[in-house]
Every structure is written in structure tokens, then in C-alpha cells.
Amino acid sequence: ATQAEARGDIETFMVTPDKDFAQLINTRTYMWKPGRKGSEHDVIDLPRMREIWSVERPAQVIDILGLMGDASDNIPGVPGVGEKTAKKLLGEFDSMENLLANTDKLKGKLKERVEENKAQALLSKQLATIILDVPVPQSLDDLAVQAFDRDAVAIEVKSGRPGKPV
């Protein structure tokens, strides 16, 4: 997706239900989220991402996930901070780092929880961040659909043995 973004002439659809991938959405990269139990799929573009997550930038999704955690990815988050509170905090402070630098502006149990769990919040943000600088030896051109030898890939339907042309 990031190679396609850099190239600038490809639209990319990341087919995944994993909310972490929302951090990669941009003007040419979308999430194609499969439907569940017979429901329709959802295509999430930048405007839809902003609507779902109540953020302006895709990178802020990482902050929300770091604050609220994600049990499916073993991201602990800040105890007692759910999605609604995480969105509210990001709306007010713009980033996790700014929130952590301004905990004096919080009140009550929320202030206590955030201050007691600063290290866990930062670790959670790190765990939610998709690493983008992993070397990928293949170029997008290497992945282009090419002609194939039908006889070489055909399987004998009746015998189930590979290698015999159909």
C-alpha cells in the first residue's frame, strides 16, 4: 500500500476487518472491510475514516488504539479508557503525546488512570503502529498479473493428481 501511494498512480484496497489498517488510509488507499454474518462490506475512505474514528488524520487512529487498547491484538491500552473516551481525549489533545504532557488538565479517575499508565499507553501506541520501513524486495511491477501456462497448472479433475492437463 505504501509503495502504491509513493508511486501515485494506483488505487489500493486493503481487504481486512482489522481496524489497525485505518492508519494507512489516504487519498488513494482504502480499507475494504468484509461484511460479517451476511452484512454488506464497507469501503472506508478518508471521509468515512474521519466519521468512524472522529479524527482528522489517519495517524490519530494509532493514538486511539493506544489509549483504548485492542484485545484482539493484545494491546492493553489505558485501563478504564474505552473508544468513546479515547476519541474525546484525541479531540481535545490531538495526540497521545500532547495528552500525556498535559495530564494536569484532566480530572478525577481519568487523570489518575492516564498518569499511572503513561508507559503502558506509549507501549500500546507502539504495538498499534504498523511498521512501514520493512524492506520489501518485490516491486509492484513484480506483482503484476502475467500470462501462465495452463497445461502446467491444470489438474486432472477425476484423479485429483496434479500435473495432468484437463
Side-chain angles (χ1 to χ4, degrees):
T2 56
Q3 281 185 21
E5 177 187 359
R7 194 162 130 169
D9 63 343
I10 298 173
E11 285 190 316
T12 304
F13 289 82
M14 302 175 293
V15 180
T16 180
D18 192 337
K19 54 187 166 262
D20 297 4
F21 282 81
Q23 65 191 268
L24 301 179
I25 293 172
N26 61 54
T27 56
R28 302 186 66 81
T29 303
Y30 316 93
M31 275 180 69
W32 195 95
K33 187 176 176 182
R36 294 181 60 180
K37 299 181 181 179
S39 66
E40 285 292 313
H41 71 276
D42 191 9
V43 175
I44 304 171
D45 58 6
L46 274 173
R48 181 92 173 101
M49 184 265 326
R50 289 178 178 123
E51 177 187 328
I52 292 168
W53 291 99
S54 305
V55 295
E56 284 302 310
R57 300 177 314 280
Q60 291 174 301
V61 171
I62 304 167
D63 292 312
I64 289 178
L65 292 171
L67 288 168
M68 70 181 224
D70 186 352
S72 65
D73 287 336
N74 292 315
I75 298 172
V78 174
V81 174
E83 184 174 343
K84 184 177 174 183
T85 302
K87 288 177 180 180
K88 180 181 168 235
L89 290 170
L90 262 286
E92 186 176 341
F93 294 98
D94 190 61
S95 72
M96 182 185 294
E97 291 75 12
N98 194 38
L99 165 67
L100 297 178
N102 291 285
T103 57
D104 57 310
K105 295 178 181 170
L106 300 174
K107 295 180 179 151
K109 277 282 192 202
L110 180 60
K111 177 180 180 174
E112 200 175 297
R113 287 184 185 131
V114 172
E115 287 179 342
E116 287 174 0
N117 293 282
K118 281 184 178 185
Q120 184 166 297
L122 291 169
L123 172 63
S124 295
K125 179 175 179 172
Q126 182 182 359
L127 293 171
T129 302
I130 295 174
I131 298 170
L132 300 177
D133 59 356
V134 175
V136 178
Q138 294 80 19
S139 73
L140 292 174
D141 292 330
D142 294 335
L143 304 175
V145 176
Q146 299 177 17
F148 65 96
D149 181 345
R150 183 173 296 280
D151 291 339
V153 296
I155 298 172
E156 175 62 48
V157 175
K158 290 182 183 174
S159 72
R161 291 190 311 259
K164 281 192 165 186
V166 177

PDB file of all heavy atoms in Angstrom, residues 94-131:
ATOM      1  N   ASP A  94      -5.348  16.198  20.537  1.00  0.00           N
ATOM      2  CA  ASP A  94      -4.805  15.968  19.197  1.00  0.00           C
ATOM      3  C   ASP A  94      -3.865  14.766  19.075  1.00  0.00           C
ATOM      4  O   ASP A  94      -3.821  14.132  18.049  1.00  0.00           O
ATOM      5  CB  ASP A  94      -4.105  17.216  18.654  1.00  0.00           C
ATOM      6  CG  ASP A  94      -3.752  17.077  17.181  1.00  0.00           C
ATOM      7  OD1 ASP A  94      -4.678  16.904  16.364  1.00  0.00           O
ATOM      8  OD2 ASP A  94      -2.553  17.111  16.857  1.00  0.00           O
ATOM      9  N   SER A  95      -3.097  14.456  20.113  1.00  0.00           N
ATOM     10  CA  SER A  95      -2.183  13.313  20.047  1.00  0.00           C
ATOM     11  C   SER A  95      -1.994  12.739  21.444  1.00  0.00           C
ATOM     12  O   SER A  95      -2.217  13.435  22.447  1.00  0.00           O
ATOM     13  CB  SER A  95      -0.814  13.727  19.490  1.00  0.00           C
ATOM     14  OG  SER A  95      -0.108  14.502  20.437  1.00  0.00           O
ATOM     15  N   MET A  96      -1.564  11.498  21.502  1.00  0.00           N
ATOM     16  CA  MET A  96      -1.303  10.883  22.793  1.00  0.00           C
ATOM     17  C   MET A  96      -0.188  11.619  23.521  1.00  0.00           C
ATOM     18  O   MET A  96      -0.271  11.849  24.728  1.00  0.00           O
ATOM     19  CB  MET A  96      -0.938   9.407  22.646  1.00  0.00           C
ATOM     20  CG  MET A  96      -0.705   8.749  24.004  1.00  0.00           C
ATOM     21  SD  MET A  96      -0.149   7.061  23.929  1.00  0.00           S
ATOM     22  CE  MET A  96      -1.546   6.239  23.239  1.00  0.00           C
ATOM     23  N   GLU A  97       0.852  11.993  22.798  1.00  0.00           N
ATOM     24  CA  GLU A  97       1.983  12.685  23.420  1.00  0.00           C
ATOM     25  C   GLU A  97       1.537  14.004  24.053  1.00  0.00           C
ATOM     26  O   GLU A  97       1.957  14.347  25.165  1.00  0.00           O
ATOM     27  CB  GLU A  97       3.100  12.913  22.402  1.00  0.00           C
ATOM     28  CG  GLU A  97       3.804  11.649  21.966  1.00  0.00           C
ATOM     29  CD  GLU A  97       3.020  10.764  20.984  1.00  0.00           C
ATOM     30  OE1 GLU A  97       1.987  11.218  20.435  1.00  0.00           O
ATOM     31  OE2 GLU A  97       3.431   9.617  20.787  1.00  0.00           O
ATOM     32  N   ASN A  98       0.680  14.747  23.361  1.00  0.00           N
ATOM     33  CA  ASN A  98       0.172  16.004  23.906  1.00  0.00           C
ATOM     34  C   ASN A  98      -0.718  15.747  25.121  1.00  0.00           C
ATOM     35  O   ASN A  98      -0.662  16.499  26.098  1.00  0.00           O
ATOM     36  CB  ASN A  98      -0.584  16.793  22.832  1.00  0.00           C
ATOM     37  CG  ASN A  98      -0.828  18.229  23.240  1.00  0.00           C
ATOM     38  OD1 ASN A  98       0.018  18.860  23.854  1.00  0.00           O
ATOM     39  ND2 ASN A  98      -2.008  18.730  22.910  1.00  0.00           N
ATOM     40  N   LEU A  99      -1.515  14.696  25.065  1.00  0.00           N
ATOM     41  CA  LEU A  99      -2.329  14.315  26.221  1.00  0.00           C
ATOM     42  C   LEU A  99      -1.436  14.009  27.424  1.00  0.00           C
ATOM     43  O   LEU A  99      -1.658  14.523  28.521  1.00  0.00           O
ATOM     44  CB  LEU A  99      -3.183  13.087  25.885  1.00  0.00           C
ATOM     45  CG  LEU A  99      -3.816  12.350  27.069  1.00  0.00           C
ATOM     46  CD1 LEU A  99      -4.864  13.227  27.752  1.00  0.00           C
ATOM     47  CD2 LEU A  99      -4.422  11.036  26.617  1.00  0.00           C
ATOM     48  N   LEU A 100      -0.414  13.185  27.213  1.00  0.00           N
ATOM     49  CA  LEU A 100       0.461  12.783  28.311  1.00  0.00           C
ATOM     50  C   LEU A 100       1.262  13.964  28.881  1.00  0.00           C
ATOM     51  O   LEU A 100       1.621  13.965  30.052  1.00  0.00           O
ATOM     52  CB  LEU A 100       1.393  11.658  27.862  1.00  0.00           C
ATOM     53  CG  LEU A 100       0.684  10.348  27.462  1.00  0.00           C
ATOM     54  CD1 LEU A 100       1.698   9.325  26.979  1.00  0.00           C
ATOM     55  CD2 LEU A 100      -0.170   9.803  28.587  1.00  0.00           C
ATOM     56  N   ALA A 101       1.512  14.962  28.054  1.00  0.00           N
ATOM     57  CA  ALA A 101       2.231  16.159  28.510  1.00  0.00           C
ATOM     58  C   ALA A 101       1.307  17.132  29.250  1.00  0.00           C
ATOM     59  O   ALA A 101       1.786  18.072  29.884  1.00  0.00           O
ATOM     60  CB  ALA A 101       2.874  16.858  27.322  1.00  0.00           C
ATOM     61  N   ASN A 102      -0.003  16.896  29.149  1.00  0.00           N
ATOM     62  CA  ASN A 102      -0.969  17.827  29.742  1.00  0.00           C
ATOM     63  C   ASN A 102      -1.971  17.140  30.657  1.00  0.00           C
ATOM     64  O   ASN A 102      -3.143  17.525  30.712  1.00  0.00           O
ATOM     65  CB  ASN A 102      -1.711  18.570  28.629  1.00  0.00           C
ATOM     66  CG  ASN A 102      -0.817  19.534  27.896  1.00  0.00           C
ATOM     67  OD1 ASN A 102      -0.486  20.593  28.410  1.00  0.00           O
ATOM     68  ND2 ASN A 102      -0.387  19.154  26.709  1.00  0.00           N
ATOM     69  N   THR A 103      -1.524  16.127  31.370  1.00  0.00           N
ATOM     70  CA  THR A 103      -2.454  15.408  32.258  1.00  0.00           C
ATOM     71  C   THR A 103      -2.983  16.296  33.379  1.00  0.00           C
ATOM     72  O   THR A 103      -4.013  15.983  33.973  1.00  0.00           O
ATOM     73  CB  THR A 103      -1.788  14.144  32.851  1.00  0.00           C
ATOM     74  OG1 THR A 103      -0.600  14.519  33.542  1.00  0.00           O
ATOM     75  CG2 THR A 103      -1.486  13.126  31.771  1.00  0.00           C
ATOM     76  N   ASP A 104      -2.307  17.407  33.648  1.00  0.00           N
ATOM     77  CA  ASP A 104      -2.795  18.336  34.669  1.00  0.00           C
ATOM     78  C   ASP A 104      -4.155  18.927  34.291  1.00  0.00           C
ATOM     79  O   ASP A 104      -4.885  19.420  35.158  1.00  0.00           O
ATOM     80  CB  ASP A 104      -1.775  19.465  34.904  1.00  0.00           C
ATOM     81  CG  ASP A 104      -1.452  20.236  33.632  1.00  0.00           C
ATOM     82  OD1 ASP A 104      -1.145  19.599  32.603  1.00  0.00           O
ATOM     83  OD2 ASP A 104      -1.511  21.488  33.675  1.00  0.00           O
ATOM     84  N   LYS A 105      -4.517  18.852  33.021  1.00  0.00           N
ATOM     85  CA  LYS A 105      -5.810  19.381  32.567  1.00  0.00           C
ATOM     86  C   LYS A 105      -6.939  18.350  32.705  1.00  0.00           C
ATOM     87  O   LYS A 105      -8.093  18.674  32.471  1.00  0.00           O
ATOM     88  CB  LYS A 105      -5.699  19.840  31.114  1.00  0.00           C
ATOM     89  CG  LYS A 105      -4.752  21.010  30.959  1.00  0.00           C
ATOM     90  CD  LYS A 105      -4.601  21.451  29.527  1.00  0.00           C
ATOM     91  CE  LYS A 105      -3.618  22.618  29.473  1.00  0.00           C
ATOM     92  NZ  LYS A 105      -3.230  22.946  28.120  1.00  0.00           N
ATOM     93  N   LEU A 106      -6.582  17.124  33.077  1.00  0.00           N
ATOM     94  CA  LEU A 106      -7.580  16.083  33.304  1.00  0.00           C
ATOM     95  C   LEU A 106      -8.062  16.142  34.745  1.00  0.00           C
ATOM     96  O   LEU A 106      -7.420  16.762  35.591  1.00  0.00           O
ATOM     97  CB  LEU A 106      -6.989  14.706  33.001  1.00  0.00           C
ATOM     98  CG  LEU A 106      -6.489  14.476  31.577  1.00  0.00           C
ATOM     99  CD1 LEU A 106      -5.808  13.114  31.478  1.00  0.00           C
ATOM    100  CD2 LEU A 106      -7.623  14.586  30.575  1.00  0.00           C
ATOM    101  N   LYS A 107      -9.166  15.444  35.007  1.00  0.00           N
ATOM    102  CA  LYS A 107      -9.722  15.450  36.358  1.00  0.00           C
ATOM    103  C   LYS A 107     -10.057  14.045  36.816  1.00  0.00           C
ATOM    104  O   LYS A 107     -10.277  13.142  36.006  1.00  0.00           O
ATOM    105  CB  LYS A 107     -10.997  16.303  36.390  1.00  0.00           C
ATOM    106  CG  LYS A 107     -10.754  17.756  36.123  1.00  0.00           C
ATOM    107  CD  LYS A 107     -12.042  18.547  36.169  1.00  0.00           C
ATOM    108  CE  LYS A 107     -11.717  20.010  35.910  1.00  0.00           C
ATOM    109  NZ  LYS A 107     -12.759  20.732  35.290  1.00  0.00           N
ATOM    110  N   GLY A 108     -10.105  13.887  38.126  1.00  0.00           N
ATOM    111  CA  GLY A 108     -10.621  12.681  38.754  1.00  0.00           C
ATOM    112  C   GLY A 108      -9.909  11.394  38.376  1.00  0.00           C
ATOM    113  O   GLY A 108      -8.692  11.352  38.182  1.00  0.00           O
ATOM    114  N   LYS A 109     -10.719  10.334  38.253  1.00  0.00           N
ATOM    115  CA  LYS A 109     -10.204   8.995  37.965  1.00  0.00           C
ATOM    116  C   LYS A 109      -9.490   8.934  36.618  1.00  0.00           C
ATOM    117  O   LYS A 109      -8.500   8.221  36.468  1.00  0.00           O
ATOM    118  CB  LYS A 109     -11.342   7.965  37.971  1.00  0.00           C
ATOM    119  CG  LYS A 109     -11.699   7.478  39.335  1.00  0.00           C
ATOM    120  CD  LYS A 109     -10.668   6.470  39.765  1.00  0.00           C
ATOM    121  CE  LYS A 109     -11.133   5.741  41.005  1.00  0.00           C
ATOM    122  NZ  LYS A 109     -10.028   5.167  41.742  1.00  0.00           N
ATOM    123  N   LEU A 110      -9.981   9.674  35.636  1.00  0.00           N
ATOM    124  CA  LEU A 110      -9.354   9.666  34.318  1.00  0.00           C
ATOM    125  C   LEU A 110      -7.927  10.167  34.417  1.00  0.00           C
ATOM    126  O   LEU A 110      -6.999   9.548  33.876  1.00  0.00           O
ATOM    127  CB  LEU A 110     -10.162  10.503  33.321  1.00  0.00           C
ATOM    128  CG  LEU A 110      -9.605  10.580  31.903  1.00  0.00           C
ATOM    129  CD1 LEU A 110      -9.501   9.174  31.278  1.00  0.00           C
ATOM    130  CD2 LEU A 110     -10.465  11.480  31.038  1.00  0.00           C
ATOM    131  N   LYS A 111      -7.729  11.275  35.125  1.00  0.00           N
ATOM    132  CA  LYS A 111      -6.373  11.818  35.315  1.00  0.00           C
ATOM    133  C   LYS A 111      -5.484  10.775  35.988  1.00  0.00           C
ATOM    134  O   LYS A 111      -4.367  10.528  35.542  1.00  0.00           O
ATOM    135  CB  LYS A 111      -6.431  13.088  36.166  1.00  0.00           C
ATOM    136  CG  LYS A 111      -5.069  13.678  36.469  1.00  0.00           C
ATOM    137  CD  LYS A 111      -5.176  14.933  37.301  1.00  0.00           C
ATOM    138  CE  LYS A 111      -3.785  15.485  37.574  1.00  0.00           C
ATOM    139  NZ  LYS A 111      -3.821  16.766  38.259  1.00  0.00           N
ATOM    140  N   GLU A 112      -6.011  10.165  37.018  1.00  0.00           N
ATOM    141  CA  GLU A 112      -5.272   9.139  37.760  1.00  0.00           C
ATOM    142  C   GLU A 112      -4.879   7.969  36.845  1.00  0.00           C
ATOM    143  O   GLU A 112      -3.721   7.542  36.829  1.00  0.00           O
ATOM    144  CB  GLU A 112      -6.188   8.645  38.888  1.00  0.00           C
ATOM    145  CG  GLU A 112      -5.519   7.970  40.032  1.00  0.00           C
ATOM    146  CD  GLU A 112      -6.558   7.645  41.112  1.00  0.00           C
ATOM    147  OE1 GLU A 112      -7.158   8.590  41.680  1.00  0.00           O
ATOM    148  OE2 GLU A 112      -6.764   6.437  41.351  1.00  0.00           O
ATOM    149  N   ARG A 113      -5.830   7.460  36.089  1.00  0.00           N
ATOM    150  CA  ARG A 113      -5.574   6.315  35.207  1.00  0.00           C
ATOM    151  C   ARG A 113      -4.532   6.641  34.141  1.00  0.00           C
ATOM    152  O   ARG A 113      -3.645   5.844  33.856  1.00  0.00           O
ATOM    153  CB  ARG A 113      -6.866   5.862  34.539  1.00  0.00           C
ATOM    154  CG  ARG A 113      -7.801   5.144  35.458  1.00  0.00           C
ATOM    155  CD  ARG A 113      -9.005   4.645  34.694  1.00  0.00           C
ATOM    156  NE  ARG A 113      -9.964   4.052  35.601  1.00  0.00           N
ATOM    157  CZ  ARG A 113     -11.258   4.336  35.606  1.00  0.00           C
ATOM    158  NH1 ARG A 113     -11.753   5.183  34.723  1.00  0.00           N
ATOM    159  NH2 ARG A 113     -12.056   3.755  36.460  1.00  0.00           N
ATOM    160  N   VAL A 114      -4.677   7.802  33.515  1.00  0.00           N
ATOM    161  CA  VAL A 114      -3.743   8.184  32.451  1.00  0.00           C
ATOM    162  C   VAL A 114      -2.340   8.373  33.028  1.00  0.00           C
ATOM    163  O   VAL A 114      -1.355   7.871  32.466  1.00  0.00           O
ATOM    164  CB  VAL A 114      -4.229   9.450  31.701  1.00  0.00           C
ATOM    165  CG1 VAL A 114      -3.163   9.955  30.743  1.00  0.00           C
ATOM    166  CG2 VAL A 114      -5.528   9.149  30.943  1.00  0.00           C
ATOM    167  N   GLU A 115      -2.234   9.070  34.141  1.00  0.00           N
ATOM    168  CA  GLU A 115      -0.911   9.304  34.739  1.00  0.00           C
ATOM    169  C   GLU A 115      -0.249   8.003  35.197  1.00  0.00           C
ATOM    170  O   GLU A 115       0.943   7.817  35.019  1.00  0.00           O
ATOM    171  CB  GLU A 115      -1.014  10.301  35.901  1.00  0.00           C
ATOM    172  CG  GLU A 115      -1.246  11.713  35.417  1.00  0.00           C
ATOM    173  CD  GLU A 115      -1.371  12.734  36.535  1.00  0.00           C
ATOM    174  OE1 GLU A 115      -1.627  12.352  37.706  1.00  0.00           O
ATOM    175  OE2 GLU A 115      -1.218  13.936  36.241  1.00  0.00           O
ATOM    176  N   GLU A 116      -1.027   7.096  35.781  1.00  0.00           N
ATOM    177  CA  GLU A 116      -0.483   5.825  36.267  1.00  0.00           C
ATOM    178  C   GLU A 116      -0.085   4.890  35.129  1.00  0.00           C
ATOM    179  O   GLU A 116       0.699   3.970  35.338  1.00  0.00           O
ATOM    180  CB  GLU A 116      -1.507   5.113  37.157  1.00  0.00           C
ATOM    181  CG  GLU A 116      -1.686   5.755  38.503  1.00  0.00           C
ATOM    182  CD  GLU A 116      -2.819   5.110  39.318  1.00  0.00           C
ATOM    183  OE1 GLU A 116      -3.462   4.159  38.821  1.00  0.00           O
ATOM    184  OE2 GLU A 116      -3.050   5.576  40.448  1.00  0.00           O
ATOM    185  N   ASN A 117      -0.635   5.124  33.950  1.00  0.00           N
ATOM    186  CA  ASN A 117      -0.424   4.194  32.833  1.00  0.00           C
ATOM    187  C   ASN A 117       0.240   4.841  31.625  1.00  0.00           C
ATOM    188  O   ASN A 117       0.070   4.379  30.497  1.00  0.00           O
ATOM    189  CB  ASN A 117      -1.763   3.566  32.432  1.00  0.00           C
ATOM    190  CG  ASN A 117      -2.305   2.662  33.510  1.00  0.00           C
ATOM    191  OD1 ASN A 117      -1.857   1.536  33.661  1.00  0.00           O
ATOM    192  ND2 ASN A 117      -3.257   3.172  34.288  1.00  0.00           N
ATOM    193  N   LYS A 118       1.034   5.887  31.854  1.00  0.00           N
ATOM    194  CA  LYS A 118       1.716   6.572  30.743  1.00  0.00           C
ATOM    195  C   LYS A 118       2.585   5.614  29.938  1.00  0.00           C
ATOM    196  O   LYS A 118       2.520   5.574  28.705  1.00  0.00           O
ATOM    197  CB  LYS A 118       2.579   7.726  31.260  1.00  0.00           C
ATOM    198  CG  LYS A 118       1.820   8.972  31.580  1.00  0.00           C
ATOM    199  CD  LYS A 118       2.774  10.096  31.987  1.00  0.00           C
ATOM    200  CE  LYS A 118       1.996  11.370  32.255  1.00  0.00           C
ATOM    201  NZ  LYS A 118       2.871  12.522  32.530  1.00  0.00           N
ATOM    202  N   ALA A 119       3.402   4.839  30.624  1.00  0.00           N
ATOM    203  CA  ALA A 119       4.311   3.913  29.925  1.00  0.00           C
ATOM    204  C   ALA A 119       3.521   2.874  29.138  1.00  0.00           C
ATOM    205  O   ALA A 119       3.866   2.547  27.994  1.00  0.00           O
ATOM    206  CB  ALA A 119       5.254   3.235  30.918  1.00  0.00           C
ATOM    207  N   GLN A 120       2.443   2.375  29.742  1.00  0.00           N
ATOM    208  CA  GLN A 120       1.619   1.382  29.050  1.00  0.00           C
ATOM    209  C   GLN A 120       0.912   1.998  27.845  1.00  0.00           C
ATOM    210  O   GLN A 120       0.760   1.358  26.809  1.00  0.00           O
ATOM    211  CB  GLN A 120       0.592   0.784  30.019  1.00  0.00           C
ATOM    212  CG  GLN A 120      -0.239  -0.322  29.393  1.00  0.00           C
ATOM    213  CD  GLN A 120      -0.987  -1.117  30.441  1.00  0.00           C
ATOM    214  OE1 GLN A 120      -0.372  -1.756  31.277  1.00  0.00           O
ATOM    215  NE2 GLN A 120      -2.311  -1.074  30.372  1.00  0.00           N
ATOM    216  N   ALA A 121       0.504   3.254  27.961  1.00  0.00           N
ATOM    217  CA  ALA A 121      -0.136   3.949  26.839  1.00  0.00           C
ATOM    218  C   ALA A 121       0.840   4.077  25.671  1.00  0.00           C
ATOM    219  O   ALA A 121       0.487   3.810  24.511  1.00  0.00           O
ATOM    220  CB  ALA A 121      -0.633   5.321  27.283  1.00  0.00           C
ATOM    221  N   LEU A 122       2.070   4.475  25.964  1.00  0.00           N
ATOM    222  CA  LEU A 122       3.083   4.623  24.900  1.00  0.00           C
ATOM    223  C   LEU A 122       3.445   3.274  24.293  1.00  0.00           C
ATOM    224  O   LEU A 122       3.607   3.168  23.067  1.00  0.00           O
ATOM    225  CB  LEU A 122       4.316   5.331  25.438  1.00  0.00           C
ATOM    226  CG  LEU A 122       4.109   6.810  25.789  1.00  0.00           C
ATOM    227  CD1 LEU A 122       5.297   7.357  26.560  1.00  0.00           C
ATOM    228  CD2 LEU A 122       3.841   7.625  24.517  1.00  0.00           C
ATOM    229  N   LEU A 123       3.548   2.239  25.118  1.00  0.00           N
ATOM    230  CA  LEU A 123       3.799   0.898  24.595  1.00  0.00           C
ATOM    231  C   LEU A 123       2.634   0.458  23.713  1.00  0.00           C
ATOM    232  O   LEU A 123       2.837  -0.101  22.634  1.00  0.00           O
ATOM    233  CB  LEU A 123       4.004  -0.101  25.732  1.00  0.00           C
ATOM    234  CG  LEU A 123       4.089  -1.574  25.303  1.00  0.00           C
ATOM    235  CD1 LEU A 123       5.298  -1.818  24.401  1.00  0.00           C
ATOM    236  CD2 LEU A 123       4.118  -2.478  26.524  1.00  0.00           C
ATOM    237  N   SER A 124       1.418   0.727  24.146  1.00  0.00           N
ATOM    238  CA  SER A 124       0.236   0.354  23.378  1.00  0.00           C
ATOM    239  C   SER A 124       0.214   1.054  22.017  1.00  0.00           C
ATOM    240  O   SER A 124      -0.137   0.456  21.004  1.00  0.00           O
ATOM    241  CB  SER A 124      -1.030   0.683  24.167  1.00  0.00           C
ATOM    242  OG  SER A 124      -1.101  -0.105  25.334  1.00  0.00           O
ATOM    243  N   LYS A 125       0.617   2.321  22.010  1.00  0.00           N
ATOM    244  CA  LYS A 125       0.695   3.051  20.743  1.00  0.00           C
ATOM    245  C   LYS A 125       1.733   2.403  19.836  1.00  0.00           C
ATOM    246  O   LYS A 125       1.496   2.219  18.632  1.00  0.00           O
ATOM    247  CB  LYS A 125       1.040   4.521  20.977  1.00  0.00           C
ATOM    248  CG  LYS A 125       1.142   5.305  19.685  1.00  0.00           C
ATOM    249  CD  LYS A 125       1.376   6.783  19.903  1.00  0.00           C
ATOM    250  CE  LYS A 125       1.499   7.482  18.552  1.00  0.00           C
ATOM    251  NZ  LYS A 125       1.532   8.931  18.670  1.00  0.00           N
ATOM    252  N   GLN A 126       2.860   2.036  20.405  1.00  0.00           N
ATOM    253  CA  GLN A 126       3.905   1.373  19.621  1.00  0.00           C
ATOM    254  C   GLN A 126       3.395   0.049  19.051  1.00  0.00           C
ATOM    255  O   GLN A 126       3.635  -0.265  17.885  1.00  0.00           O
ATOM    256  CB  GLN A 126       5.128   1.133  20.495  1.00  0.00           C
ATOM    257  CG  GLN A 126       6.291   0.497  19.762  1.00  0.00           C
ATOM    258  CD  GLN A 126       7.481   0.235  20.681  1.00  0.00           C
ATOM    259  OE1 GLN A 126       7.468   0.544  21.868  1.00  0.00           O
ATOM    260  NE2 GLN A 126       8.518  -0.334  20.121  1.00  0.00           N
ATOM    261  N   LEU A 127       2.673  -0.715  19.849  1.00  0.00           N
ATOM    262  CA  LEU A 127       2.141  -2.002  19.389  1.00  0.00           C
ATOM    263  C   LEU A 127       1.086  -1.834  18.296  1.00  0.00           C
ATOM    264  O   LEU A 127       0.949  -2.688  17.426  1.00  0.00           O
ATOM    265  CB  LEU A 127       1.541  -2.776  20.569  1.00  0.00           C
ATOM    266  CG  LEU A 127       2.520  -3.263  21.633  1.00  0.00           C
ATOM    267  CD1 LEU A 127       1.768  -3.816  22.843  1.00  0.00           C
ATOM    268  CD2 LEU A 127       3.471  -4.301  21.057  1.00  0.00           C
ATOM    269  N   ALA A 128       0.342  -0.732  18.336  1.00  0.00           N
ATOM    270  CA  ALA A 128      -0.704  -0.488  17.346  1.00  0.00           C
ATOM    271  C   ALA A 128      -0.168   0.085  16.035  1.00  0.00           C
ATOM    272  O   ALA A 128      -0.876   0.125  15.034  1.00  0.00           O
ATOM    273  CB  ALA A 128      -1.749   0.472  17.925  1.00  0.00           C
ATOM    274  N   THR A 129       1.090   0.513  16.040  1.00  0.00           N
ATOM    275  CA  THR A 129       1.675   1.156  14.862  1.00  0.00           C
ATOM    276  C   THR A 129       2.161   0.121  13.859  1.00  0.00           C
ATOM    277  O   THR A 129       2.974  -0.745  14.184  1.00  0.00           O
ATOM    278  CB  THR A 129       2.861   2.056  15.282  1.00  0.00           C
ATOM    279  OG1 THR A 129       2.391   3.023  16.219  1.00  0.00           O
ATOM    280  CG2 THR A 129       3.464   2.760  14.075  1.00  0.00           C
ATOM    281  N   ILE A 130       1.653   0.200  12.650  1.00  0.00           N
ATOM    282  CA  ILE A 130       2.107  -0.678  11.576  1.00  0.00           C
ATOM    283  C   ILE A 130       3.471  -0.175  11.113  1.00  0.00           C
ATOM    284  O   ILE A 130       3.628   1.000  10.758  1.00  0.00           O
ATOM    285  CB  ILE A 130       1.109  -0.703  10.410  1.00  0.00           C
ATOM    286  CG1 ILE A 130      -0.216  -1.331  10.881  1.00  0.00           C
ATOM    287  CG2 ILE A 130       1.675  -1.464   9.213  1.00  0.00           C
ATOM    288  CD1 ILE A 130      -1.336  -1.280   9.870  1.00  0.00           C
ATOM    289  N   ILE A 131       4.444  -1.055  11.125  1.00  0.00           N
ATOM    290  CA  ILE A 131       5.812  -0.695  10.738  1.00  0.00           C
ATOM    291  C   ILE A 131       5.868  -0.549   9.217  1.00  0.00           C
ATOM    292  O   ILE A 131       5.494  -1.463   8.485  1.00  0.00           O
ATOM    293  CB  ILE A 131       6.808  -1.752  11.233  1.00  0.00           C
ATOM    294  CG1 ILE A 131       6.757  -1.819  12.765  1.00  0.00           C
ATOM    295  CG2 ILE A 131       8.222  -1.435  10.758  1.00  0.00           C
ATOM    296  CD1 ILE A 131       7.515  -2.990  13.352  1.00  0.00           C
TER     297      ILE A 131
END
